[in-house]
Amino acid sequence: MASDEHACPKCGQPVETVVKRHKTLGAWVPVWVAGPCRNPKCEAYAEDGAEHAEQQEQRDTPTTKNS
């Protein structure tokens, strides 16, 4: 396993690398992180579409402004 590859913290199998982003000094910066585990026998297993559903819930949650 190369140093730029990620592994599941629970089962140790390689996982894909995904790109997320965060804002730094007003600019969105890419961050490469470990993706979800696809091993069905692992306790950290993520089914297909689970990540998409989580993102959809975050978008549907209304935000409030403090005036």
Side-chain angles (χ1 to χ4, degrees):
M1 184 158 89
S3 62
D4 61 342
E5 293 180 359
H6 295 279
C8 175
K10 301 288 183 181
C11 66
Q13 286 194 340
V15 295
E16 64 184 350
T17 301
V18 296
V19 179
K20 294 195 176 197
R21 62 185 190 148
H22 74 273
K23 204 167 198 178
T24 300
L25 298 174
W28 287 103
V29 181
V31 179
W32 287 265
V33 297
C37 184
R38 299 292 183 202
N39 178 5
K41 297 178 183 176
C42 178
E43 62 184 62
Y45 174 70
E47 293 183 19
D48 290 335
E51 189 173 303
H52 176 68
E54 180 180 311
Q55 289 174 355
Q56 188 67 24
E57 286 178 16
Q58 289 176 352
R59 276 190 240 139
D60 292 343
T61 305
T63 57
T64 58
K65 292 183 180 181
N66 295 335
S67 299

